[in-house]
Amino acid sequence: MRRGRRRLARWGCVVGLLLFAAVCCAAPVGNAISAYVALKSDEDDGGIAQGGSAADIPSRMLTAYKTAVQQVGRYVPKCRGMRWPILAGIAKVESNHAIGHSIAANGDIRPKIYGVLLNGSGQGGNTTPVADTDHGRWDGTATGERAVGPFQFLPSTWASFGKDSNGDKVADPHNADDAALGAAVYLCGAGRDLTQRAQLSAAILQYNHSSEYVATVLGWIDQYTAAAEDPDLTNVTGKVRTVIEAALSQRGVPYSWGGGSAKGPSYGICCSPSGKSGTTIKGFDCSGLTLYAYAQASVQLPRTAAAQAGAGQRIPASLGTSALKPGDLVFYAYAPGRDSTIYHVGIYAGSGQMINAARPGTVVRLDSINTMSGFAGGARLL
């Protein structure tokens, strides 16, 4: 594959001058459809991996995912529950949505995305040679096989499931529309009900026979699902609604290390554990966003995530996420139960979602409350 092993680190919002950083990584796997090794990459400052909302997906790729959902019924009429976050979860892991490549109006991706040559050399985690099947038509080499395109199909798999989505008479795995439709058809199988978690997991396992791969993709699907749905504020009133609407109004504002005040976005400071500076970015970090949102309801909060845990009525992590109510602060810690290790805070919006300023390189957005690691309870201020 074209991806090497990448680093995952955790970070905290600004906590005075004390910065936390921790590192974890994932093991490589691979099988017949995908040369997935382990994306887990360049996530240099957080308990959340880069991405998680439609704002992180190139618009042309998002269009391809949504178009495939509309078209898949032509090929698998019995398929139920196909939706764009499923395709986005696969493409995030397989190619990071082709970020770094140009995507033409017709969906063609250049330069083309190639995985490593599956010749058993061990590169990319592959130890089993895979014989050439396409004479180099799709993978550019007749000396063996390699995965291709944003969904990393092997040519042999593409021969069975590739579809022409954009109407140019060619089913091309290097075309965003064709690749997304091919992936949708493959995941649907003979007619799965992808609204059922077990069947969705089975579909992903078919894509790559690895339990770790399944867990990783499901995590991205959950994040994209949360980000795609607006919270239901029907029964949310008063100051709580003011807080949530204030935070939601900042969606799309960039993350800035140390940024944000009661007045709104502001330039941040230097620097995050990986050296990312907020000095040139006008936006919010996690606690800057919560401070701003609550200020609109005339509630003053301390500046840091750990200090905010001491405000209002503390909700212990032992009660679980079901104890949270819309408007509650929700915390994450390196050592849940020790508030001094809290590294992140969001605003619970209900239905398992939070409004989140996640990490450098992202924007304020809706995320699943399971996006971050180390759930450390919440705090109720209203």
Side-chain angles (χ1 to χ4, degrees):
M1 294 190 68
R2 70 186 187 95
R3 300 181 299 282
R5 184 180 177 188
R6 304 169 68 185
R7 185 171 62 87
L8 175 63
R10 295 187 177 126
W11 53 277
C13 291
V14 181
V15 184
L17 297 177
L18 182 61
L19 305 179
F20 299 92
V23 177
C24 61
C25 56
V29 292
N31 90 333
I33 186 171
S34 159
Y36 166 76
V37 177
L39 184 62
K40 307 293 188 185
S41 57
D42 269 8
E43 298 123 330
D44 41 286
D45 279 331
I48 181 176
Q50 182 177 2
S53 83
D56 299 305
I57 303 172
S59 60
R60 187 61 184 82
M61 290 300 294
L62 184 59
T63 296
Y65 306 155
K66 292 181 176 179
T67 300
V69 171
Q70 296 170 355
Q71 295 178 342
V72 70
R74 302 177 189 173
Y75 302 95
V76 192
K78 294 182 179 180
C79 186
R80 297 290 181 270
M82 177 56 69
R83 49 201 173 87
W84 75 256
I86 295 175
L87 297 175
I90 295 285
K92 173 64 181 180
V93 174
E94 295 298 343
S95 71
N96 197 21
H97 307 299
I99 290 173
H101 299 253
S102 66
I103 309 170
N106 71 348
D108 286 344
I109 297 171
R110 299 293 183 271
K112 296 178 179 180
I113 302 172
Y114 294 117
V116 300
L117 184 63
L118 302 178
N119 58 4
S121 67
Q123 185 181 9
N126 166 255
T127 57
T128 303
V130 179
D132 174 67
T133 62
D134 68 333
H135 305 291
R137 180 186 182 189
W138 299 123
D139 62 5
T141 177
T143 62
E145 203 89 323
R146 55 183 178 178
V148 297
F151 283 85
Q152 290 290 277
F153 278 97
L154 289 181
S156 56
T157 309
W158 184 253
S160 299
F161 294 94
K163 303 299 177 186
D164 172 26
S165 170
N166 64 0
D168 65 358
K169 311 294 185 185
V170 177
D172 184 351
H174 296 286
N175 178 277
D177 298 317
D178 295 356
L181 180 57
V185 170
Y186 188 83
L187 291 164
C188 279
R192 290 189 175 98
D193 182 355
L194 299 176
T195 65
Q196 302 298 313
R197 193 76 166 185
Q199 293 193 44
L200 176 59
S201 296
I204 300 168
L205 188 65
Q206 173 184 289
Y207 208 99
N208 188 308
H209 200 72
S210 159
S211 58
E212 182 180 11
Y213 180 89
V214 173
T216 301
V217 172
L218 285 173
W220 284 114
I221 292 172
D222 289 344
Q223 289 190 45
Y224 289 125
T225 298
E229 298 175 355
D230 285 331
D232 181 4
L233 302 181
T234 303
N235 298 316
V236 179
T237 60
K239 289 188 174 183
V240 171
R241 190 181 186 106
T242 297
V243 168
I244 293 177
E245 289 183 341
L248 289 172
S249 73
Q250 301 304 308
R251 280 188 291 184
V253 173
Y255 182 98
S256 175
W257 182 264
S261 70
K263 296 180 179 180
S266 68
Y267 291 101
I269 64 173
C270 185
C271 281
S272 75
S274 67
K276 297 294 178 64
S277 175
T279 57
T280 61
I281 302 172
K282 191 174 184 179
F284 294 100
D285 67 6
C286 64
S287 54
L289 176 66
T290 56
L291 184 154
Y292 165 76
Y294 268 91
Q296 310 318 299
S298 301
V299 176
Q300 293 184 340
L301 286 178
R303 181 59 182 82
T304 66
Q308 289 177 4
Q313 175 190 348
R314 193 73 165 90
I315 304 168
S318 60
L319 296 180
T321 58
S322 62
L324 296 172
K325 293 184 178 180
D328 289 347
L329 296 178
V330 54
F331 300 104
Y332 302 85
Y334 295 117
R338 294 173 56 194
D339 283 359
S340 62
T341 69
I342 286 175
Y343 71 90
H344 194 77
V345 61
I347 298 174
Y348 187 59
S351 302
Q353 297 173 296
M354 67 176 172
I355 308 154
N356 195 22
R359 65 180 295 281
T362 64
V363 297
V364 176
R365 65 201 188 193
L366 277 170
D367 275 326
S368 165
I369 56 173
N370 296 321
T371 293
M372 313 299 292
S373 61
F375 173 66
R380 186 162 300 147
L381 286 80
L382 295 170

